[in-house]
Each structure stands twice: as C-alpha cells, then as structure tokens.
Amino acid sequence: MDYNKTINLLKTEFPMRAGLPKREPEMLKRWEAEDVYHELLKKNEGKPLFNLHDGPPFSNGSIHMGTAMNKAIKDIITRSYAMRGYYTPYIPGWDNHGMPIESAIIKQNKLDHKAMSIPEFRSACHDFAAHYVDVQRDAFKRMGVVGDWDHPYLTMDPGFEAEEVKVFGEMYKKGYIYKGSKPVYWCPHDETALAEAEIEYRDDPCTTVYVKFPLCDDQGKLSAYDKSKVFFLIWTTTIWTLPGNLAIAMHPEESYALVKVPSGEIFILAEALTEKVMGIGGYDRYEILETHPGAFYENMLARHPFMDKTSQLILADYVTMDSGTGCVHTAPGFGADDYNSCLKYNIEVIVPVDDQGKHTDYAGKYAGMSTGESNPVILADMKANGSLFASEEIVHSYPHCWRCQTPIIFRVTPQWFCSVDSFKDEACAAADEVRWVPKWGIDRMKSMIRERADWCISRQRRWGLPIPVVYCQDCGKPVVTDETIEAISKLFGAEGSNAWFAKEAEEILPAGFACPHCGGKSGFEKETDTLDGWFDSGSTHYAAMKRDQGFWPATMYMEGLDQYRGWFQSSLLTAVGAFGKGAPFKECVTHGWTVDGEGKAMHKSAGNGMDPAEIIEKYGADLLRLWAANTDYHADVRCSHEIFEQLRQNYLKFRNTARYCLGNLDGFDPNGLVKPEEMLELDRWAVTRLNGLMEKCFAAYDEYEFLVVTHAVNDFCVVDMSNFYLDVIKDRLYCDEKDGLSRRSAQTALYLILDTMTRIMAPILCFTCDEIWQAMAHRQGDDGRNVLFNDMHKHFEAYALDEESMARWAAVEDLRDLVNSALEAARSEKRIGKSLEAAVVVTVPEDNAWMASAPDLADWLIVSQVTVKTGGEPAVEVARAEGGKCERCWKILPAVGSDAEHPTLCPRCAAAVRKLPQF
C-alpha cells in the first residue's frame, strides 16, 4: 500500500512565486470594478472620522522615490485606520501654480515665454500641469493607493481659486497683509522673489575679502592720528554687494582697537578678533594704540574704497565676534539687518542690482555686469588701488533657488507681505494643540514661526493666482474690500483666474465702484504680481477640504521634513491669520529624504537615482510599499537594489508562511473552530503569541511606527512560526486523523494566525494580503470581497494561556534549542541523520520536572524518543532510536509492527489510516 497517499499534504492554489509585477495590475482592475474606495466609505459610514488631508505635490513631472514613499506611507496610515474602525475619506490633491510648473514647461517644451501673451502662456501651463496630474495619478493608483482619484482637488481649479481669494481677503481685512519695500530672497535667473521655503543651502566656493575703508570724519575724537592712515576694516563674502555699501555696523558694547602695523597704517577692528585678522593679513608684529567701545565711533564717516561716497558708522546689537572683523559691511539694499539698521539712521536705501541680477548705473563701471561677473573685477580693482587688506578662498553655505538651483541674492523690492509678527503668538499657541510626530516637531515649528517676521507672498510670475488687489488711479492706494473680494471670487469661480488678464479692472469690479480711500472713480489698475505658491497650498484646508468635504480641521497632515517651513507652516499661518480657529490639523507627521544606499542624495547626473516605475516593474508595488514601511522614515530613507533584494527575502518569508497556512487549511471550515477548552496547549501557546503580536502591532500603528509592524511580523514568522511552531505541528497536520481534534486544533490556530497576520499586514502589503484573502475561507460576518473591508482582530482572550503556562513553554523552547545543538553535533559525527533517528536523554532542573510526564515532549523536540532526568545542570545525550521506522510518519518506535493490519505503521498512523474512506 502506498501510505504517502494517506498523508494530509499541502493543498493550495496560492502560488509560491509572487509574480507581483504581472499579478498586481489584474488586481487593480478588480478593485476598480468593485469601486473599493467608495465601498469602503459605505462600509465604515457612521464610524469615527479619520481624515488625512493630502499635501499637494507639484504636477510638473513624473513621481520620484520621495513622492512614492510619501504616498505609500499615507496609504498605509489611511488603510490602518479604515481597518480599525474609522471612516477614512482621502481626497488626493495637486499644486498646479508657480515656478515649478513654469520652469518645467519652459525647459521641456522649449517655450519662449517672453514672446507669448500672458493668457497664451497660462493656458500652456494649465495643460502642462493637467497632463502631469494624469501621469502622477496613474502612478499612485499603480501603487495601490486608495482614494477618490476621480475627484481630486487642484489649486488651479476655478472653485479652488475662488475660495483662496477669500482667504487673502480675510487676512487683508485683519491688517495682516500689506505692501512694502523690504529685502527679499530674489532669484535673478527666474526674476522673482522667493519665500524661505523655496531656498536650499549649498556649499559654494568664494573669495572672502578684508577691505580698508579710510576714515574721513572722526567727530573730533581721533585728532591725535593722521586720518589718511586710519582705516575701518570690514569683511565680506559677497564682493558684489560692496557698491551698495552705505554704512559700517559696530556692536555698541564690544571693545574696538586701533591697531598700528609696521607700515604706519592704523586699522580699527574688534579687539577680540585682532590676533586672528592680523595673522590673515600677514602681520606678526603690530601695536594696539587704544581701545574704545563700539558706541565711541557712532556717526563717524569713512570713505568708500572705490566709489565717490561715504559710509556712516552705525551701531547694531546683531554684530558678533565669532568671525570677520567686528566692523560689518552694511548695504541696505541687500540684507534685512542692513535694511533695518539703515532705516533707523535715516540712511537712504539704494538697490544697485536689477531684476536680472545685473548692476545698475549706480554701480559705475560695473553697470551691466552680473553679480558673478563683477566679483573678480571688483577684487582686481581693490588690489590695484590698495584698499584690499587680505583675501581668502573659502567654502561657505549659500542660499540657492530650489527650482533652478542657481545662487540667489538678497534685494530690496516692493512686495506683498504677510506680517507673521502680528499673530505669531496665536500661531504658536495653535501649534501647541497639535500632536507632532516626531515629538521634536513642535519645537522646530515654533522656532521657525518665532524667527519669522514677514512672509513675502508676492511673486513676479505669470502662472499663479493673481493677487486680488486693484490700485486707484486717483490716489494710487491699493484697494481691497469685502465688495472687491466677493466680485473677484465670483469671477474666478465662474471663469477661472485667467479672467483677471482678459478683463479690465472696471469689468471685474461692481458697477459704479468708488475708491474707499478718496472716493475717486477715474479708474483702477490691476495688480500684476501673483500669489506665492505656498499661499495656494496653504489654503487647501479651506479652499478644498472644508469646501469639498465639509469638515475642518483635518485629523492629520503628513509630509517631508522640509514642510515645517513650507506647507505645514503656510497652512497654519493662513488658518490662524484668516480664521483664528487654530491649526488646520490635529496631528502632524513627517518623513525624511530618500537617499541612495550610501546615504547620498540621488541625482540623475550622479547615476544613483532610482525610478519608482522601474522598481514596480521589477519587484512589484508591494515591495515598494514594504520599503517605505520597513524603515525609520522619520530620518533619511535609503534605497538601492541591494536593499530591495533583502526586502524580497523578508517578503517571501511572509508569503511562504501564509502559503503554508493556506495549504494546511484545505477543506477546513472556519465557522467550526475548535473551542478554547478543547484546543491543545501548544496551539493555545501559538495563539497567545499571536495576541502579543497584535498588541505590539496595534501600538505601532497608533504611533505610525510601521518598521515595528514589519519587524514584529517577520520575527513572528521566523522565530515563533518557522523555527518552532510550524516545525513542531507538521507531523500532526500531515499524519493525524484528518478531521480529528488534534489536527483541527492546529488548523484552528493556523486559521487565526493567517487571518490575523493578513489583516495586520494588509495596510502595507495591500496586494499580497488581498491575494491571500481571496485564497482563504472566511467566517460568517467577514467580507470576502476585499481584506480592506474587514477590521483587524482584537485579542483572542479565550484562547490565551496564563503567564505560568507561557513560562513553561519558554522552558520548552530553551530545551529545544539545547537539543537541536546536540542533534547537530551528533549529525556532524554521523551518528544520526534526520532528527527522528534520535532518542535523547535530557537533564532538566527540578522546576521543569513536569516535562517527564509530558506525553508530547518528543514531538515538541522532533525526535522519536525522549527520556527526562530531573536535577542538575541542563544536558542532552543523543543516541540512535531503537525500534521500527513507521513508513508513514518516519518515527522510530518499538510499537511499530504491533498492528497486524498495518505492520509497517506506528499505532497512531494505523488508527488514522483505518478511518480514511478508502480503507
């Protein structure tokens, strides 16, 4: 008789090979046909709300690893809440305006935007942005992200623009928005102002110079010295700003020395920096003639080193003694501190650089040169006229435009500003009410708000929301009223913001509208600047979420670390500034950057970039999702093919564990689970360990620590299941009576394990877990359509063992490790082959004397025979088992042959075979 045919072998159609790249698209078609998103909302309607408001990516290109990670984590969060009893609407959004789109379309489509009319260019930008909305939407859907993809919010939609105008109007009405001339970040390449969030710092080489400014008016305080030989010594890293110098700032209380060198020249600089500066200048011998506090020099005048003008000596508390000379070169047209200090002293503000970053006529011989071109020329001139004290080549951190990657300049220009100073206390108080993940997020956000005085909200761009302001032609004042805001909002809602450029102001304003300042009706001019893109995205909580979904605030905002100065902050400021209701989010979660396997930034030019589409084509979207979850994403996240290969091994461990369970559950009815009181204790041990896994994973989901989830599940599969439980119960599953209690007990545990693990991992491995769900039987009350439609399980308390029982099983595990080591040694000595060829004698402490009466101890150790000695140190002796080898289960037992009908079987196997229908 062929007893192999009587064994309960694995039986499942669930494939061992995942084949995710081919399998996932077919699953997506089914999900789309089933309308999974709306069905999920129907199923959870009436449950507590969890709303993750989508931070809108720019629709200016295909997705990259950063955006892929972002969307994967968001989907994991949303799915995890949906499967824990929450109503989870998710509306994806896109940021469509601004320089990112302008730069991309000019580069890709090679447009001569300056030769196009504004409406033509804006229409081209609209079509370009709409195209990449479709491209990115398809990519996110391929990743398995569940959302209302047919109804996203777009910042270029007329309805959105109409609501954003209202946000501007509310902030203007409260006095938070104003127009003024101040130093701003300026990109000469793109000819526009930039916000702080649009700045990236990079290390740049530069020539730093120490420059001599001759004293020309000492206020009668230094008459003992020949003024022609006395110089104030300044230091700067931006040579091109020297034509704009109008003052020299000193700290009022720091000590400044008159330092004489062998040539007879006398230099005035901070006493604390004298030794360092003299060394740089090549002087090892010098004499300090006298010292005075900085206030002593106030209002003295120095001659400019190469232009016909003077520089006033002023006082400023921001002057430090950690670098330079303590005499700070001050050009009010190029810096915030410089600007404010010169205003205090009524010094005229001059901006000798134009929109393109070229020197104006004010700069004399340097007129027409770009800032970069003028640097070496000015340096050479100072060397020639003797005003250069010293120079050094250094590398310093300098701001660059985030989009075109070129160095920016600081430049005073007329702009529209939001006065953060006016409500920063309220903004910080709102931030205090938010849950920040990681916790240090609150400190970063509040420090950024505290340090910010103004937010420059105007841009010199064509593709953006027009600033809804008109100017009276009679008095020249800007006009913003409830009437004008309502009229402009209605116009944009009906026709879109292109109407601003297609119509005259009189066509936009109410009929007969008069200037509220002077009563004039001669006409109005429209503002030509557009709003900062961060104002667009910062208004999404009102213009999209509240308008489209009807609730406010969001449960969560979740984006990258850079959004503390970007979207998080702009959203907080618009919410508090316009509506005074606090933060637009209850929780704020952040993730880090994506970098290559060595921790370096990824760039196409460096050849270390990775494309999400290529990853999905090779490994499948589930591996991309597992990568996003399987790391501490709050820090920088590494990605490489080596990392994905390692992840594939972890994935296969989970998949194969599920397949093992499925194969042993063929024909099992989950509606007939073995009762807790009938379940074997080993199986209850497995369910108790499962309870521990649930507890750990639920806590991790609460803290958004998906790394803990993936590691806990992997450890459970490897340590608890593969290395112990599944190994031990294999004999019972394969050889015990098919429908007997012992086998159904194991199957009950396996079903609970499979069902629970599948639900736990479903937010992360959404495709694989639904594939498992389709392959398994379900209990009454479960929704078999999709695993997502089912809640994660609570603890199976009725099956749980107490702590004392679990301690006994921990002792069994320890003994098993000891026995396995002894078996391996015997195997290497060729005394045995497989473990079932062994009989072992184990010595255990008195505390474990109960093992001597445990009838299944040999099965737990996977040997044929075991003898237990108590007392003494733990020890194992290995010998060859005596008796016959059961043809069916391969155990070697003296009782093999005792059954006359089945003489080659052990009694257990003989009994099982006799109950089979064919026998």
Side-chain angles (χ1 to χ4, degrees):
M1 180 181 295
D2 185 0
Y3 288 115
N4 286 331
K5 294 181 179 180
T6 71
I7 295 175
N8 307 309
L9 294 175
L10 291 172
K11 185 179 180 182
T12 178
E13 294 182 0
F14 186 79
M16 182 179 296
R17 295 180 62 84
L20 294 176
K22 292 183 178 179
R23 196 182 310 278
E24 289 170 345
E26 294 302 315
M27 298 182 72
L28 283 172
K29 290 178 183 178
R30 177 170 60 82
W31 292 357
E32 191 165 341
E34 293 174 352
D35 195 9
V36 166
Y37 173 71
H38 289 103
E39 287 299 306
L40 177 64
L41 294 187
K42 286 181 187 177
K43 190 171 184 67
N44 289 338
E45 192 170 6
K47 294 181 180 179
L49 171 68
F50 177 86
N51 167 241
L52 191 158
H53 181 47
D54 192 29
F58 287 113
S59 55
N60 65 330
S62 300
I63 71 168
H64 51 73
M65 292 301 289
T67 45
M69 178 179 72
N70 174 274
K71 276 295 190 290
I73 295 172
K74 287 177 180 176
D75 192 53
I76 292 168
I77 292 173
T78 299
R79 285 172 177 266
S80 71
Y81 272 97
M83 296 186 70
R84 289 183 294 152
Y86 287 83
Y87 180 74
T88 53
Y90 176 69
I91 309 297
W94 276 273
D95 198 347
N96 311 116
H97 284 146
M99 191 166 64
I101 282 78
E102 285 195 27
S103 298
I105 190 174
I106 290 170
K107 181 179 180 180
Q108 292 184 33
N109 295 7
K110 299 184 172 23
L111 292 184
D112 183 2
H113 64 292
K114 293 185 178 180
M116 301 172 71
S117 69
I118 292 178
E120 286 175 338
F121 182 65
R122 286 175 60 87
S123 294
C125 287
H126 181 282
D127 293 345
F128 184 88
H131 167 71
Y132 277 107
V133 166
D134 292 338
V135 169
Q136 293 186 16
R137 172 166 39 203
D138 288 345
F140 294 142
K141 289 169 71 174
R142 176 62 185 87
M143 288 173 56
V145 179
V146 174
D148 193 352
W149 294 109
D150 292 333
H151 304 96
Y153 76 82
L154 307 176
T155 63
M156 66 182 179
D157 275 352
F160 185 100
E161 294 177 328
E163 297 302 304
E164 185 179 347
V165 167
K166 295 176 184 177
V167 176
F168 179 93
E170 287 298 315
M171 296 183 74
Y172 188 95
K173 186 163 59 175
K174 292 182 179 181
Y176 297 151
I177 290 178
Y178 69 95
K179 190 170 189 178
S181 292
K182 289 188 175 184
V184 296
Y185 296 109
W186 185 269
C187 177
H189 178 271
D190 293 312
E191 299 180 39
T192 186
L194 300 175
E196 185 179 359
E198 297 168 321
I199 297 301
E200 295 177 351
Y201 281 84
R202 294 184 175 186
D203 288 340
D204 270 359
C206 78
T207 302
T208 178
V209 292
Y210 296 79
V211 184
K212 300 185 289 185
F213 278 63
L215 174 65
C216 64
D217 183 353
D218 65 356
Q219 301 283 300
K221 295 179 179 181
L222 298 174
S223 56
Y225 303 102
D226 180 356
K227 288 197 289 290
S228 67
K229 294 186 177 182
V230 179
F231 304 89
F232 288 93
L233 202 57
I234 69 95
W235 170 79
T236 183
T237 60
T238 51
I239 298 173
W240 62 268
T241 62
L242 286 170
N245 177 278
L246 292 172
I248 298 172
M250 308 174 82
H251 194 284
E253 298 174 2
E254 292 288 348
S255 176
Y256 288 80
L258 275 73
V259 182
K260 185 177 182 180
V261 298
S263 67
E265 291 181 317
I266 298 171
F267 301 111
I268 301 173
L269 69 157
E271 183 179 9
L273 294 165
T274 296
E275 182 178 354
K276 177 183 176 182
V277 173
M278 288 298 112
I280 292 171
Y283 294 104
D284 54 2
R285 292 189 301 115
Y286 54 87
E287 177 185 0
I288 295 180
L289 302 177
E290 56 184 276
T291 60
H292 302 280
F296 173 82
Y297 302 94
E298 186 177 20
N299 293 322
M300 290 185 183
L301 296 177
R303 268 196 333 273
H304 193 280
F306 53 84
M307 296 180 70
D308 186 15
K309 60 177 180 175
T310 58
S311 296
Q312 183 176 339
L313 274 297
I314 63 175
L315 304 179
D317 290 334
Y318 57 76
V319 177
T320 63
M321 299 294 121
D322 56 358
S323 61
T325 65
C327 299
V328 177
H329 155 54
T330 302
F334 297 131
D337 288 335
D338 306 42
Y339 175 83
N340 292 326
S341 294
C342 287
L343 283 185
K344 178 180 176 183
Y345 281 87
N346 295 315
I347 298 173
E348 180 185 8
V349 175
I350 296 172
V351 187
V353 170
D354 66 15
D355 290 359
Q356 296 177 331
K358 294 183 178 181
H359 289 283
T360 64
D361 291 342
Y362 177 87
K365 67 174 289 187
Y366 312 111
M369 294 183 186
S370 69
T371 55
E373 292 169 341
S374 68
N375 279 334
V377 180
I378 294 173
L379 179 63
D381 287 348
M382 291 193 297
K383 287 180 179 178
N385 69 17
S387 60
L388 185 68
F389 175 82
S391 65
E392 288 184 304
E393 298 301 318
I394 66 167
V395 174
H396 69 157
S397 182
Y398 191 80
H400 289 64
C401 173
W402 70 327
R403 191 51 52 187
C404 66
Q405 310 300 320
T406 58
I408 60 96
I409 62 176
F410 297 91
R411 181 169 173 263
V412 173
T413 60
Q415 301 287 342
W416 284 93
F417 295 93
C418 169
S419 174
V420 179
D421 256 339
S422 300
F423 59 95
K424 63 173 51 175
D425 288 342
E426 292 88 342
C428 288
D432 284 330
E433 300 303 314
V434 174
R435 177 194 178 194
W436 299 88
V437 182
K439 292 180 180 180
W440 48 256
I442 178 65
D443 297 324
R444 176 172 291 191
M445 176 57 76
K446 289 174 68 173
S447 67
M448 287 183 171
I449 293 172
R450 293 285 184 200
E451 293 168 3
R452 192 173 196 175
D454 292 293
W455 167 17
C456 179
I457 61 171
S458 52
R459 294 292 179 273
Q460 291 64 51
R461 312 304 305 171
R462 296 180 173 190
W463 178 234
L465 186 72
I467 293 179
V469 175
V470 294
Y471 298 89
C472 175
Q473 290 183 349
D474 289 319
C475 67
K477 293 182 178 179
V479 176
V480 181
T481 68
D482 287 346
E483 279 184 285
T484 64
I485 289 297
E486 183 179 2
I488 296 169
S489 177
K490 285 184 178 179
L491 175 67
F492 287 3
E495 302 181 28
S497 60
N498 269 6
W500 184 262
F501 302 97
K503 296 178 181 291
E504 297 298 327
E506 286 72 22
E507 298 177 82
I508 297 172
L509 300 175
F513 183 78
C515 175
H517 304 297
C518 70
K521 295 185 178 181
S522 299
F524 298 88
E525 295 290 336
K526 296 172 296 181
E527 173 62 70
T528 58
D529 286 353
T530 56
L531 275 171
D532 175 19
W534 293 111
F535 200 96
D536 285 8
S537 59
S539 301
T540 60
H541 60 86
Y542 179 81
M545 184 176 73
K546 186 174 183 181
R547 180 193 63 148
D548 299 335
Q549 297 176 263
F551 50 77
W552 195 99
T555 311
M556 177 186 289
Y557 274 28
M558 193 276 180
E559 296 298 330
L561 292 170
D562 56 333
Q563 298 309 314
Y564 285 107
R565 59 177 184 154
W567 189 53
F568 298 154
Q569 189 176 153
S570 65
S571 298
L572 182 65
L573 295 178
T574 57
V576 175
F579 308 111
K581 293 183 180 179
F585 43 85
K586 297 176 183 178
E587 301 181 33
C588 187
V589 182
T590 56
H591 61 76
W593 307 107
T594 52
V595 295
D596 71 6
E598 297 179 357
K600 299 176 182 177
M602 292 190 292
H603 298 289
K604 288 183 179 179
S605 58
N608 64 345
M610 297 189 74
D611 184 347
E614 293 178 2
I615 296 296
I616 291 173
E617 185 178 352
K618 182 175 182 179
Y619 300 102
D622 261 0
L623 264 291
L624 187 67
R625 296 171 66 96
L626 183 59
W627 161 76
N630 197 59
T631 185
D632 178 10
Y633 62 85
H634 299 305
D636 288 347
V637 178
R638 299 191 178 201
C639 52
S640 67
H641 286 291
E642 290 77 15
I643 290 172
F644 277 94
E645 287 295 336
Q646 179 59 51
L647 283 174
R648 180 150 60 180
Q649 299 308 309
N650 293 355
Y651 168 82
L652 289 175
K653 176 54 67 176
F654 173 79
R655 184 179 183 89
N656 289 336
T657 301
R659 186 174 185 274
Y660 182 91
C661 293
L662 286 168
N664 282 294
L665 290 170
D666 178 56
F668 178 75
D669 181 4
N671 293 301
L673 299 179
V674 168
K675 296 177 182 179
E677 60 271 20
E678 296 177 347
M679 181 177 274
L680 274 62
E681 187 168 308
L682 174 59
D683 301 325
R684 293 182 65 184
W685 170 88
V687 177
T688 306
R689 295 294 292 171
L690 181 67
N691 286 341
L693 174 68
M694 282 190 275
E695 183 177 357
K696 189 170 188 177
C697 290
F698 291 172
Y701 273 125
D702 285 339
E703 297 298 323
Y704 314 118
E705 298 294 347
F706 311 120
L707 172 66
V708 174
V709 176
T710 59
H711 281 208
V713 171
N714 187 70
D715 289 347
F716 181 78
C717 289
V718 173
V719 178
D720 291 336
M721 294 293 101
S722 182
N723 291 354
F724 180 53
Y725 181 66
L726 300 183
D727 201 21
V728 170
I729 66 170
K730 186 184 297 183
D731 174 75
R732 192 177 357 143
L733 289 168
Y734 287 11
C735 299
D736 277 14
E737 180 187 346
K738 183 175 182 179
D739 296 320
L741 176 63
S742 64
R743 186 168 186 271
R744 287 197 308 109
S745 174
Q747 285 181 306
T748 296
L750 285 182
Y751 184 84
L752 295 178
I753 289 166
L754 176 66
D755 194 31
T756 300
M757 280 204 317
T758 302
R759 297 181 195 224
I760 286 175
M761 285 298 286
I764 298 169
L765 299 177
C766 63
F767 291 100
T768 300
C769 289
D770 195 45
E771 183 188 0
I772 296 169
W773 192 254
Q774 301 307 314
M776 63 188 287
H778 301 294
R779 284 179 287 178
Q780 188 173 0
D782 289 344
D783 193 324
R785 293 175 298 166
N786 194 299
V787 65
L788 182 58
F789 296 156
N790 300 268
D791 285 353
M792 295 184 192
H793 286 308
K794 306 297 183 183
H795 288 180
F796 302 111
E797 295 296 346
Y799 289 95
L801 295 176
D802 57 27
E803 290 185 7
E804 183 178 347
S805 299
M806 292 302 288
R808 288 199 302 271
W809 282 103
V812 172
E813 290 184 88
D814 290 341
L815 177 61
R816 187 174 139 87
D817 289 341
L818 199 64
V819 169
N820 283 342
S821 295
L823 292 174
E824 186 59 36
R827 192 175 291 113
S828 65
E829 295 169 359
K830 302 191 182 305
R831 290 190 287 133
I832 63 168
K834 297 184 181 300
S835 64
L836 287 177
E837 296 177 11
V840 297
V841 177
V842 297
T843 303
V844 299
E846 291 290 345
D847 290 346
N848 293 333
W850 60 270
M851 291 183 181
S853 58
D856 298 323
L857 183 61
D859 289 337
W860 300 341
L861 300 178
I862 313 183
V863 294
S864 288
Q865 301 161 28
V866 61
T867 302
V868 178
K869 296 180 179 178
T870 58
E873 293 297 317
V876 178
E877 300 172 33
V878 180
R880 290 191 66 85
E882 296 182 357
K885 180 179 179 180
C886 176
E887 185 180 344
R888 187 166 176 269
C889 70
W890 297 1
K891 290 181 181 178
I892 298 174
L893 300 168
V896 171
S898 61
D899 190 294
E901 189 178 355
H902 300 285
T904 59
L905 302 186
C906 66
R908 184 271 307 260
C909 285
V913 168
R914 258 193 298 272
K915 290 188 177 182
L916 293 174
Q918 61 268 40
F919 294 99

